[in-house]
Amino acid sequence: MCKKREYSSSFNMKILHNIAKTLLFSAFFVATAHAQPKTGSWGDQGNGTYINPILNADYSDPDVVRVGDKYYMVCSEFQYMGMPVLESEDMVNWKIIAQIYSRLDFPDYDNVNSYSNGSWAPSIRYHAGKFWVYFCTIPEGLFMCNAEKAEGPWTMTLVKKIEKWEDPCPFWDDDGKAYLGHSVHGAGPIIIHKMSEEGTQLLDDGVTVYTGPVAEGTKIFKRGEYYYINIPEGGVGTGWQTVLRSKNIYGPYEKKVVLETGSTSVNGPHQGALVDTPEGEWWFYHFQQSGALGRVVHLQPVRWADDWPLFGVDIDRNGIGEPVYVWKKPAIEKTPPIHAPQSDDDFNAPALGLQWQFNHNPDNTAWSLVEKPGYLSLKALKSESFLRAKNTLTQKTMGASGEAVVALDVSKIAEGQKAGLCSFGSMYNLFGVYRTGGKNYLFFENNEDLFVQPRTDGRRVRIDYFDASKNYVEKQPVAAKVVYLKVKLNFLTNQNHFYYSTDNKNFIPFGKAFHAMFGFWKGARIGLFSYNELKDDGVALFDRFKYDYDGPK
Protein backbone atom coordinates (compact mmCIF):
# COMPACT_ATOMS: atom_id res chain seq x y z
CA MET A 1 0.00 0.00 0.00
CA CYS A 2 2.98 2.28 -0.60
CA LYS A 3 1.98 5.21 -2.81
CA LYS A 4 4.27 6.92 -5.31
CA ARG A 5 5.88 9.93 -3.62
CA GLU A 6 5.80 13.43 -5.10
CA TYR A 7 9.07 15.22 -4.38
CA SER A 8 7.68 18.61 -3.44
CA SER A 9 8.53 21.18 -0.81
CA SER A 10 5.65 19.75 1.22
CA PHE A 11 7.22 16.30 1.06
CA ASN A 12 10.62 17.71 1.99
CA MET A 13 9.07 19.30 5.06
CA LYS A 14 7.62 15.91 6.00
CA ILE A 15 11.06 14.35 5.66
CA LEU A 16 12.56 17.03 7.89
CA HIS A 17 9.74 16.54 10.38
CA ASN A 18 10.36 12.80 10.56
CA ILE A 19 14.14 13.25 10.85
CA ALA A 20 13.55 15.62 13.75
CA LYS A 21 11.11 13.19 15.31
CA THR A 22 13.59 10.34 14.94
CA LEU A 23 16.35 12.39 16.56
CA LEU A 24 14.01 13.32 19.41
CA PHE A 25 13.06 9.69 20.06
CA SER A 26 16.70 8.59 19.69
CA ALA A 27 17.70 11.10 22.36
CA PHE A 28 14.86 9.86 24.55
CA PHE A 29 15.86 6.21 24.22
CA VAL A 30 19.57 6.96 24.75
CA ALA A 31 18.70 8.89 27.90
CA THR A 32 16.48 6.03 29.03
CA ALA A 33 19.22 3.48 28.40
CA HIS A 34 21.62 5.38 30.66
CA ALA A 35 19.04 6.00 33.36
CA GLN A 36 18.56 3.77 36.35
CA PRO A 37 16.59 0.65 35.38
CA LYS A 38 12.96 0.73 36.38
CA THR A 39 11.76 -1.94 38.79
CA GLY A 40 8.27 -2.52 40.07
CA SER A 41 6.00 -4.88 41.92
CA TRP A 42 7.06 -7.86 39.79
CA GLY A 43 10.09 -9.23 37.97
CA ASP A 44 13.75 -8.39 38.56
CA GLN A 45 14.25 -6.23 41.64
CA GLY A 46 17.81 -5.17 40.87
CA ASN A 47 19.22 -6.67 44.07
CA GLY A 48 19.69 -10.29 43.07
CA THR A 49 16.07 -11.24 43.72
CA TYR A 50 12.87 -11.38 41.70
CA ILE A 51 9.19 -11.07 42.57
CA ASN A 52 6.62 -13.35 40.96
CA PRO A 53 5.22 -13.06 38.45
CA ILE A 54 8.38 -12.54 36.41
CA LEU A 55 6.17 -11.63 33.42
CA ASN A 56 3.02 -9.91 34.63
CA ALA A 57 1.33 -10.24 31.26
CA ASP A 58 -0.62 -12.87 29.37
CA TYR A 59 2.13 -15.19 28.16
CA SER A 60 -0.24 -18.10 28.65
CA ASP A 61 0.79 -21.77 28.56
CA PRO A 62 4.49 -20.87 28.56
CA ASP A 63 7.14 -23.31 27.41
CA VAL A 64 10.88 -22.65 27.70
CA VAL A 65 14.00 -24.33 26.36
CA ARG A 66 17.67 -23.62 27.11
CA VAL A 67 20.12 -23.58 24.21
CA GLY A 68 23.68 -23.04 25.43
CA ASP A 69 23.49 -20.18 27.90
CA LYS A 70 20.31 -18.58 26.57
CA TYR A 71 16.65 -19.34 27.16
CA TYR A 72 13.75 -19.20 24.71
CA MET A 73 10.04 -18.99 25.47
CA VAL A 74 6.86 -19.46 23.44
CA CYS A 75 3.22 -19.22 24.52
CA SER A 76 -0.29 -19.79 23.23
CA GLU A 77 -1.84 -16.89 21.33
CA PHE A 78 -5.13 -18.31 20.03
CA GLN A 79 -6.56 -15.97 17.34
CA TYR A 80 -3.80 -13.35 17.65
CA MET A 81 -1.10 -13.31 14.93
CA GLY A 82 1.39 -14.55 15.60
CA MET A 83 3.17 -16.58 18.23
CA PRO A 84 6.13 -14.68 19.78
CA VAL A 85 9.57 -16.06 20.60
CA LEU A 86 11.17 -14.48 23.68
CA GLU A 87 14.81 -14.65 24.72
CA SER A 88 16.47 -14.32 28.12
CA GLU A 89 20.02 -14.54 29.44
CA ASP A 90 19.08 -14.85 33.13
CA MET A 91 15.65 -16.56 33.08
CA VAL A 92 13.96 -13.46 34.55
CA ASN A 93 14.38 -10.59 32.06
CA TRP A 94 12.82 -11.29 28.65
CA LYS A 95 12.60 -9.62 25.24
CA ILE A 96 10.70 -10.57 22.09
CA ILE A 97 13.02 -11.55 19.24
CA ALA A 98 10.68 -13.06 16.63
CA GLN A 99 7.19 -14.12 15.64
CA ILE A 100 6.88 -17.68 14.36
CA TYR A 101 4.04 -16.94 11.94
CA SER A 102 2.04 -13.93 10.79
CA ARG A 103 -1.08 -15.75 9.63
CA LEU A 104 -2.91 -19.08 9.65
CA ASP A 105 -4.07 -19.89 6.13
CA PHE A 106 -7.64 -20.98 6.80
CA PRO A 107 -10.82 -19.05 5.87
CA ASP A 108 -12.10 -18.40 9.40
CA TYR A 109 -8.90 -16.51 10.28
CA ASP A 110 -9.37 -14.32 7.19
CA ASN A 111 -13.03 -13.73 8.06
CA VAL A 112 -12.40 -12.86 11.74
CA ASN A 113 -14.47 -15.85 12.73
CA SER A 114 -12.11 -17.99 14.80
CA TYR A 115 -12.08 -16.49 18.29
CA SER A 116 -10.67 -18.92 20.89
CA ASN A 117 -9.13 -21.08 18.19
CA GLY A 118 -5.65 -20.55 16.74
CA SER A 119 -2.55 -21.71 18.63
CA TRP A 120 -3.07 -23.66 21.85
CA ALA A 121 -0.27 -24.49 24.35
CA PRO A 122 2.88 -24.89 22.23
CA SER A 123 6.10 -26.73 23.03
CA ILE A 124 9.58 -25.53 22.02
CA ARG A 125 12.57 -27.84 21.73
CA TYR A 126 16.09 -27.74 20.27
CA HIS A 127 17.25 -30.82 18.36
CA ALA A 128 19.70 -31.59 15.54
CA GLY A 129 20.78 -27.95 15.30
CA LYS A 130 17.23 -26.62 14.92
CA PHE A 131 14.46 -25.10 16.99
CA TRP A 132 11.19 -27.02 16.89
CA VAL A 133 7.80 -25.64 17.93
CA TYR A 134 4.67 -27.79 17.94
CA PHE A 135 1.13 -26.56 18.56
CA CYS A 136 -2.45 -27.51 17.76
CA THR A 137 -5.36 -25.45 16.54
CA ILE A 138 -8.63 -27.02 17.65
CA PRO A 139 -10.43 -27.01 14.25
CA GLU A 140 -7.46 -27.57 11.94
CA GLY A 141 -4.80 -29.86 13.37
CA LEU A 142 -1.22 -30.39 14.53
CA PHE A 143 1.50 -28.01 13.30
CA MET A 144 5.29 -28.12 13.42
CA CYS A 145 7.49 -25.05 12.95
CA ASN A 146 11.25 -25.12 12.32
CA ALA A 147 14.10 -22.61 12.39
CA GLU A 148 17.87 -22.79 12.58
CA LYS A 149 17.87 -19.60 14.65
CA ALA A 150 15.24 -18.51 17.13
CA GLU A 151 15.05 -15.16 15.31
CA GLY A 152 13.85 -17.07 12.23
CA PRO A 153 12.96 -17.40 9.50
CA TRP A 154 10.50 -20.06 10.60
CA THR A 155 8.78 -22.60 8.39
CA MET A 156 5.41 -24.18 9.20
CA THR A 157 4.15 -27.69 8.36
CA LEU A 158 0.72 -29.19 8.97
CA VAL A 159 1.74 -32.56 10.43
CA LYS A 160 -1.78 -33.93 10.81
CA LYS A 161 -5.17 -32.57 9.89
CA ILE A 162 -7.24 -33.47 12.93
CA GLU A 163 -9.84 -31.78 15.12
CA LYS A 164 -9.71 -31.35 18.88
CA TRP A 165 -6.15 -32.27 19.71
CA GLU A 166 -4.26 -29.99 22.06
CA ASP A 167 -0.96 -29.33 23.84
CA PRO A 168 1.54 -31.40 21.80
CA CYS A 169 5.17 -32.02 22.77
CA PRO A 170 7.92 -33.74 20.72
CA PHE A 171 10.60 -35.95 22.24
CA TRP A 172 13.73 -37.45 20.67
CA ASP A 173 15.16 -40.36 22.66
CA ASP A 174 18.85 -41.21 23.08
CA ASP A 175 18.66 -43.64 20.16
CA GLY A 176 17.27 -40.95 17.85
CA LYS A 177 13.73 -42.31 17.79
CA ALA A 178 11.07 -39.59 17.89
CA TYR A 179 7.77 -39.43 19.75
CA LEU A 180 4.97 -36.93 20.21
CA GLY A 181 2.69 -36.62 23.23
CA HIS A 182 -0.56 -34.67 23.41
CA SER A 183 -3.96 -34.51 25.06
CA VAL A 184 -7.40 -33.94 23.55
CA HIS A 185 -9.88 -31.09 23.74
CA GLY A 186 -11.47 -31.03 27.15
CA ALA A 187 -8.18 -32.20 28.66
CA GLY A 188 -7.02 -35.78 28.76
CA PRO A 189 -6.09 -38.49 28.27
CA ILE A 190 -2.35 -38.19 27.55
CA ILE A 191 -1.46 -40.02 24.31
CA ILE A 192 2.01 -40.80 22.92
CA HIS A 193 2.70 -41.49 19.22
CA LYS A 194 5.76 -42.67 17.36
CA MET A 195 6.92 -39.91 15.02
CA SER A 196 9.29 -39.71 12.06
CA GLU A 197 12.73 -38.42 13.03
CA GLU A 198 12.27 -35.29 10.89
CA GLY A 199 9.12 -34.55 12.91
CA THR A 200 6.72 -34.25 9.99
CA GLN A 201 4.70 -37.46 10.30
CA LEU A 202 3.06 -39.53 13.03
CA LEU A 203 3.69 -43.26 12.54
CA ASP A 204 0.85 -44.79 14.55
CA ASP A 205 -2.48 -44.07 16.23
CA GLY A 206 -0.85 -43.53 19.62
CA VAL A 207 -0.96 -45.18 23.03
CA THR A 208 -2.89 -43.75 25.98
CA VAL A 209 -0.40 -43.58 28.86
CA TYR A 210 -2.32 -41.59 31.48
CA THR A 211 -5.85 -40.50 32.30
CA GLY A 212 -6.31 -37.92 35.04
CA PRO A 213 -8.49 -35.01 36.15
CA VAL A 214 -8.24 -32.45 33.33
CA ALA A 215 -4.80 -33.74 32.37
CA GLU A 216 -3.21 -31.62 29.61
CA GLY A 217 -0.14 -29.51 28.81
CA THR A 218 2.06 -32.53 28.06
CA LYS A 219 5.82 -31.98 28.43
CA ILE A 220 8.09 -35.02 27.94
CA PHE A 221 11.74 -35.26 28.95
CA LYS A 222 14.30 -37.82 30.13
CA ARG A 223 16.69 -37.66 33.08
CA GLY A 224 18.88 -40.61 33.95
CA GLU A 225 16.96 -43.82 33.44
CA TYR A 226 13.51 -42.25 33.83
CA TYR A 227 11.10 -40.80 31.29
CA TYR A 228 9.08 -37.94 32.76
CA ILE A 229 5.80 -36.35 31.73
CA ASN A 230 5.22 -32.96 33.35
CA ILE A 231 1.51 -32.05 33.22
CA PRO A 232 -1.03 -29.68 34.76
CA GLU A 233 -4.22 -31.14 36.18
CA GLY A 234 -7.41 -29.88 37.74
CA GLY A 235 -8.25 -26.95 35.46
CA VAL A 236 -6.87 -23.52 34.62
CA GLY A 237 -7.87 -21.54 37.69
CA THR A 238 -7.84 -24.20 40.39
CA GLY A 239 -5.40 -26.92 39.38
CA TRP A 240 -1.98 -28.23 40.37
CA GLN A 241 1.16 -29.62 38.71
CA THR A 242 1.75 -33.35 38.40
CA VAL A 243 4.88 -35.22 37.35
CA LEU A 244 4.71 -38.77 35.98
CA ARG A 245 7.74 -41.04 35.65
CA SER A 246 8.52 -44.44 34.18
CA LYS A 247 11.49 -46.41 32.86
CA ASN A 248 9.47 -47.09 29.70
CA ILE A 249 8.11 -44.24 27.59
CA TYR A 250 4.76 -46.06 27.36
CA GLY A 251 4.56 -46.63 31.09
CA PRO A 252 3.21 -47.67 33.44
CA TYR A 253 3.80 -44.29 35.10
CA GLU A 254 4.12 -43.40 38.76
CA LYS A 255 2.50 -40.11 39.79
CA LYS A 256 3.48 -37.31 42.14
CA VAL A 257 1.79 -33.94 42.70
CA VAL A 258 4.67 -31.44 42.88
CA LEU A 259 3.04 -27.98 43.11
CA GLU A 260 -0.23 -26.75 44.58
CA THR A 261 -1.83 -23.49 45.65
CA GLY A 262 -1.52 -24.47 49.29
CA SER A 263 -1.53 -21.46 51.60
CA THR A 264 -0.63 -19.02 48.82
CA SER A 265 -2.83 -16.79 46.66
CA VAL A 266 -1.42 -18.26 43.45
CA ASN A 267 -4.46 -20.03 42.02
CA GLY A 268 -3.90 -22.77 39.47
CA PRO A 269 -0.07 -22.86 39.70
CA HIS A 270 0.58 -25.11 36.75
CA GLN A 271 1.19 -25.61 32.99
CA GLY A 272 4.70 -24.81 31.95
CA ALA A 273 8.33 -25.77 31.55
CA LEU A 274 10.98 -27.53 33.62
CA VAL A 275 14.40 -26.10 32.65
CA ASP A 276 17.97 -26.64 33.82
CA THR A 277 20.88 -24.20 33.79
CA PRO A 278 24.52 -24.77 32.76
CA GLU A 279 25.36 -24.46 36.45
CA GLY A 280 23.12 -27.43 37.29
CA GLU A 281 20.12 -25.65 38.83
CA TRP A 282 16.55 -26.55 37.85
CA TRP A 283 13.62 -24.17 37.56
CA PHE A 284 9.93 -24.36 36.66
CA TYR A 285 7.95 -21.80 34.66
CA HIS A 286 4.18 -21.83 35.05
CA PHE A 287 1.19 -19.57 34.69
CA GLN A 288 -1.34 -18.16 37.13
CA GLN A 289 -4.83 -17.08 36.13
CA SER A 290 -4.91 -13.40 37.11
CA GLY A 291 -8.31 -11.91 36.32
CA ALA A 292 -8.58 -9.51 33.40
CA LEU A 293 -4.80 -9.48 33.02
CA GLY A 294 -4.90 -13.08 31.87
CA ARG A 295 -2.41 -15.87 32.59
CA VAL A 296 0.85 -14.48 33.93
CA VAL A 297 4.22 -16.25 34.25
CA HIS A 298 5.86 -17.34 37.51
CA LEU A 299 9.28 -18.92 38.12
CA GLN A 300 9.76 -21.56 40.83
CA PRO A 301 12.97 -23.09 42.21
CA VAL A 302 13.24 -26.86 41.78
CA ARG A 303 15.29 -29.45 43.63
CA TRP A 304 15.55 -33.19 43.04
CA ALA A 305 15.07 -35.93 45.64
CA ASP A 306 14.82 -39.66 44.96
CA ASP A 307 14.58 -38.91 41.22
CA TRP A 308 11.51 -36.69 41.70
CA PRO A 309 11.54 -32.93 41.01
CA LEU A 310 10.16 -30.85 43.90
CA PHE A 311 8.80 -27.45 42.90
CA GLY A 312 8.60 -24.27 44.98
CA VAL A 313 8.77 -24.57 48.77
CA ASP A 314 6.91 -27.11 50.89
CA ILE A 315 5.56 -24.61 53.39
CA ASP A 316 3.12 -26.91 55.19
CA ARG A 317 5.43 -29.97 55.01
CA ASN A 318 2.87 -32.16 53.24
CA GLY A 319 5.34 -33.21 50.54
CA ILE A 320 3.93 -30.85 47.90
CA GLY A 321 5.56 -27.56 46.97
CA GLU A 322 3.85 -24.17 47.03
CA PRO A 323 4.70 -21.16 44.86
CA VAL A 324 7.25 -18.62 46.09
CA TYR A 325 6.59 -14.89 46.03
CA VAL A 326 10.12 -13.45 46.19
CA TRP A 327 13.25 -15.52 45.55
CA LYS A 328 16.91 -15.33 44.69
CA LYS A 329 17.55 -15.15 40.95
CA PRO A 330 19.08 -18.17 39.21
CA ALA A 331 22.84 -18.45 39.77
CA ILE A 332 23.78 -17.42 36.26
CA GLU A 333 26.93 -15.46 35.49
CA LYS A 334 25.27 -13.06 33.07
CA THR A 335 23.51 -10.04 34.57
CA PRO A 336 21.69 -8.27 31.73
CA PRO A 337 19.97 -4.93 32.27
CA ILE A 338 16.52 -5.05 33.84
CA HIS A 339 13.90 -5.04 31.13
CA ALA A 340 10.54 -6.45 30.10
CA PRO A 341 9.19 -7.31 26.65
CA GLN A 342 8.83 -4.37 24.29
CA SER A 343 5.78 -2.10 24.50
CA ASP A 344 6.47 1.37 22.99
CA ASP A 345 6.51 2.12 19.26
CA ASP A 346 7.15 5.39 17.42
CA PHE A 347 6.38 3.74 14.03
CA ASN A 348 9.65 4.99 12.55
CA ALA A 349 11.13 1.52 11.99
CA PRO A 350 10.59 -0.37 8.71
CA ALA A 351 8.58 -3.04 10.60
CA LEU A 352 6.06 -3.08 13.40
CA GLY A 353 7.42 -3.74 16.86
CA LEU A 354 7.35 -7.44 17.65
CA GLN A 355 4.93 -6.83 20.53
CA TRP A 356 2.13 -6.03 18.06
CA GLN A 357 -0.25 -8.80 17.02
CA PHE A 358 -3.17 -8.54 14.65
CA ASN A 359 -6.53 -9.91 15.73
CA HIS A 360 -6.93 -12.78 13.22
CA ASN A 361 -5.18 -12.63 9.84
CA PRO A 362 -4.29 -9.10 8.71
CA ASP A 363 -5.13 -7.66 5.31
CA ASN A 364 -1.62 -6.54 4.41
CA THR A 365 -2.91 -4.23 1.67
CA ALA A 366 -4.74 -2.18 4.28
CA TRP A 367 -1.97 -1.12 6.65
CA SER A 368 1.37 0.59 6.08
CA LEU A 369 4.39 2.15 7.77
CA VAL A 370 5.53 3.92 4.58
CA GLU A 371 2.35 5.49 3.19
CA LYS A 372 3.01 8.36 5.59
CA PRO A 373 6.56 7.86 6.92
CA GLY A 374 6.70 7.85 10.71
CA TYR A 375 3.06 6.85 11.11
CA LEU A 376 1.06 3.65 11.22
CA SER A 377 -1.62 3.93 8.55
CA LEU A 378 -4.65 1.72 9.19
CA LYS A 379 -7.10 1.74 6.30
CA ALA A 380 -10.72 1.28 7.37
CA LEU A 381 -12.30 -1.83 5.90
CA LYS A 382 -16.04 -2.35 6.11
CA SER A 383 -17.33 -4.17 9.18
CA GLU A 384 -20.69 -4.27 10.91
CA SER A 385 -18.99 -4.35 14.32
CA PHE A 386 -15.66 -4.07 16.11
CA LEU A 387 -15.28 -7.80 16.76
CA ARG A 388 -15.64 -8.50 13.03
CA ALA A 389 -13.24 -5.74 11.96
CA LYS A 390 -9.98 -6.64 10.21
CA ASN A 391 -6.60 -5.11 11.02
CA THR A 392 -7.18 -4.45 14.69
CA LEU A 393 -3.65 -4.30 16.09
CA THR A 394 -3.13 -5.44 19.69
CA GLN A 395 -0.51 -5.96 22.34
CA LYS A 396 -0.54 -7.54 25.77
CA THR A 397 -1.42 -5.50 28.83
CA MET A 398 1.66 -5.26 31.06
CA GLY A 399 1.22 -5.16 34.82
CA ALA A 400 -1.86 -4.65 36.92
CA SER A 401 -1.93 -0.89 36.35
CA GLY A 402 -0.57 1.61 33.87
CA GLU A 403 -1.42 3.98 31.08
CA ALA A 404 -0.94 4.12 27.32
CA VAL A 405 -1.22 7.11 25.00
CA VAL A 406 -1.21 7.40 21.22
CA ALA A 407 -1.64 10.29 18.78
CA LEU A 408 -4.41 9.91 16.18
CA ASP A 409 -4.33 12.05 13.04
CA VAL A 410 -7.86 12.12 11.58
CA SER A 411 -7.11 14.18 8.45
CA LYS A 412 -7.94 11.17 6.25
CA ILE A 413 -10.92 9.83 8.17
CA ALA A 414 -14.00 9.01 6.07
CA GLU A 415 -17.76 8.93 6.56
CA GLY A 416 -18.74 5.90 8.64
CA GLN A 417 -15.22 5.33 9.98
CA LYS A 418 -14.36 4.59 13.60
CA ALA A 419 -10.74 4.66 14.74
CA GLY A 420 -8.83 4.89 17.98
CA LEU A 421 -7.58 3.12 21.10
CA CYS A 422 -9.26 0.19 22.79
CA SER A 423 -9.22 -2.22 25.70
CA PHE A 424 -9.94 -5.46 23.93
CA GLY A 425 -11.21 -8.86 24.95
CA SER A 426 -14.60 -10.50 24.69
CA MET A 427 -15.66 -7.41 26.66
CA TYR A 428 -14.34 -4.47 24.64
CA ASN A 429 -14.14 -0.72 25.22
CA LEU A 430 -13.52 1.63 22.30
CA PHE A 431 -12.39 5.26 22.38
CA GLY A 432 -11.55 7.44 19.42
CA VAL A 433 -13.03 9.43 16.56
CA TYR A 434 -16.17 8.56 14.60
CA ARG A 435 -17.14 10.42 11.44
CA THR A 436 -20.86 10.54 10.73
CA GLY A 437 -23.11 13.12 9.07
CA GLY A 438 -20.02 14.87 7.71
CA LYS A 439 -18.69 15.66 11.20
CA ASN A 440 -16.11 14.13 13.53
CA TYR A 441 -17.07 13.01 17.01
CA LEU A 442 -15.14 11.72 19.97
CA PHE A 443 -16.85 8.50 20.94
CA PHE A 444 -16.78 5.91 23.70
CA GLU A 445 -18.41 2.53 23.10
CA ASN A 446 -18.53 -0.73 25.02
CA ASN A 447 -20.41 -4.00 25.07
CA GLU A 448 -20.38 -4.44 28.83
CA ASP A 449 -24.19 -4.50 29.00
CA LEU A 450 -24.10 -7.77 27.02
CA PHE A 451 -22.57 -9.52 30.03
CA VAL A 452 -24.65 -10.33 33.10
CA GLN A 453 -23.85 -11.71 36.53
CA PRO A 454 -26.51 -14.30 37.28
CA ARG A 455 -24.26 -16.44 39.47
CA THR A 456 -23.48 -16.00 43.13
CA ASP A 457 -19.72 -16.18 42.49
CA GLY A 458 -19.91 -12.92 40.51
CA ARG A 459 -18.66 -14.39 37.25
CA ARG A 460 -20.06 -12.76 34.17
CA VAL A 461 -21.79 -14.78 31.48
CA ARG A 462 -22.01 -13.64 27.88
CA ILE A 463 -25.31 -12.99 26.18
CA ASP A 464 -24.01 -12.02 22.73
CA TYR A 465 -20.51 -10.93 21.74
CA PHE A 466 -21.31 -9.63 18.31
CA ASP A 467 -24.57 -7.65 18.43
CA ALA A 468 -23.16 -4.11 18.41
CA SER A 469 -26.66 -2.59 18.20
CA LYS A 470 -26.98 -3.03 21.97
CA ASN A 471 -23.68 -1.33 22.86
CA TYR A 472 -23.39 1.64 25.19
CA VAL A 473 -22.24 4.77 23.29
CA GLU A 474 -21.28 8.34 24.20
CA LYS A 475 -20.10 10.96 21.69
CA GLN A 476 -19.36 14.67 21.34
CA PRO A 477 -18.13 16.82 18.43
CA VAL A 478 -14.38 17.31 18.01
CA ALA A 479 -12.67 19.70 15.59
CA ALA A 480 -8.98 18.90 16.14
CA LYS A 481 -7.07 17.16 13.35
CA VAL A 482 -4.81 15.38 15.87
CA VAL A 483 -6.25 13.89 19.04
CA TYR A 484 -4.17 12.26 21.78
CA LEU A 485 -5.94 9.23 23.22
CA LYS A 486 -5.04 7.81 26.62
CA VAL A 487 -6.21 4.80 28.58
CA LYS A 488 -5.54 4.32 32.29
CA LEU A 489 -5.90 0.74 33.46
CA ASN A 490 -6.12 -0.62 36.97
CA PHE A 491 -6.97 -4.30 37.06
CA LEU A 492 -6.79 -4.37 40.87
CA THR A 493 -9.89 -2.19 41.13
CA ASN A 494 -11.07 -2.86 37.54
CA GLN A 495 -11.92 0.82 37.28
CA ASN A 496 -10.45 1.95 33.98
CA HIS A 497 -10.80 5.25 32.12
CA PHE A 498 -10.18 6.92 28.77
CA TYR A 499 -8.85 10.48 28.35
CA TYR A 500 -8.23 12.80 25.42
CA SER A 501 -6.10 15.84 24.71
CA THR A 502 -5.46 18.17 21.79
CA ASP A 503 -2.02 19.29 23.03
CA ASN A 504 -0.65 16.09 24.66
CA LYS A 505 -0.47 17.95 27.97
CA ASN A 506 -3.95 18.51 29.36
CA PHE A 507 -5.99 15.30 29.33
CA ILE A 508 -9.75 15.30 29.85
CA PRO A 509 -11.69 12.18 30.90
CA PHE A 510 -14.26 10.86 28.45
CA GLY A 511 -16.91 8.17 28.78
CA LYS A 512 -17.71 6.19 31.89
CA ALA A 513 -15.38 4.06 33.96
CA PHE A 514 -15.23 0.63 32.38
CA HIS A 515 -14.31 -2.94 33.19
CA ALA A 516 -11.90 -5.22 31.39
CA MET A 517 -12.33 -8.96 31.25
CA PHE A 518 -10.51 -12.16 30.38
CA GLY A 519 -12.08 -13.65 27.25
CA PHE A 520 -11.44 -15.93 24.27
CA TRP A 521 -8.78 -17.59 26.49
CA LYS A 522 -6.68 -14.39 26.62
CA GLY A 523 -6.31 -11.43 28.94
CA ALA A 524 -7.67 -8.01 28.02
CA ARG A 525 -5.38 -6.20 25.56
CA ILE A 526 -4.60 -2.71 24.42
CA GLY A 527 -5.37 -2.19 20.74
CA LEU A 528 -5.46 0.23 17.83
CA PHE A 529 -8.47 -0.08 15.55
CA SER A 530 -9.83 1.38 12.32
CA TYR A 531 -12.94 0.17 10.52
CA ASN A 532 -15.88 1.61 8.57
CA GLU A 533 -19.51 0.70 9.10
CA LEU A 534 -20.49 1.78 5.56
CA LYS A 535 -17.75 0.80 3.11
CA ASP A 536 -14.00 0.38 2.61
CA ASP A 537 -12.90 3.98 3.07
CA GLY A 538 -10.74 6.22 5.23
CA VAL A 539 -7.32 5.97 6.87
CA ALA A 540 -6.40 6.41 10.53
CA LEU A 541 -2.86 7.70 11.12
CA PHE A 542 -1.34 6.66 14.45
CA ASP A 543 1.82 8.19 15.91
CA ARG A 544 4.00 7.65 19.00
CA PHE A 545 2.50 4.83 21.06
CA LYS A 546 3.84 5.13 24.61
CA TYR A 547 3.02 2.66 27.39
CA ASP A 548 4.00 3.05 31.06
CA TYR A 549 3.08 0.41 33.62
CA ASP A 550 3.88 -0.75 37.15
CA GLY A 551 6.70 -3.19 36.32
CA PRO A 552 10.29 -3.23 35.06
CA LYS A 553 11.12 -1.45 31.84
Side-chain angles (χ1 to χ4, degrees), residues 212-233:
V214 198
E216 54 186 345
T218 310
K219 299 294 185 290
I220 307 171
F221 67 99
K222 191 175 185 181
R223 181 178 182 268
E225 59 183 348
Y226 282 105
Y227 297 89
Y228 293 88
I229 304 178
N230 188 21
I231 57 172
E233 294 189 279

Side-chain angles (χ1 to χ4, degrees), residues 161-183:
K161 183 175 174 59
I162 186 79
E163 292 185 1
K164 296 187 176 180
W165 280 13
E166 64 180 28
D167 305 3
C169 179
F171 172 73
W172 286 267
D173 208 341
D174 300 334
D175 59 5
K177 291 182 180 179
Y179 301 86
L180 183 118
H182 68 88
S183 58

Side-chain angles (χ1 to χ4, degrees), residues 20 61 95 102 207 216 224 310 357 363 368 375 480 495 511 544:
D61 305 317
K95 64 180 179 181
S102 60
V207 176
E216 54 186 345
L310 306 176
Q357 296 173 293
D363 180 341
S368 174
Y375 290 78
Q495 293 293 301
R544 298 190 302 275

Side-chain angles (χ1 to χ4, degrees), residues 450-469:
L450 301 183
F451 295 80
V452 295
Q453 294 176 294
R455 295 164 42 152
T456 56
D457 62 6
R459 290 181 60 186
R460 291 177 179 264
V461 178
R462 73 182 186 198
I463 297 176
D464 187 347
Y465 288 144
F466 300 103
D467 184 2
S469 67

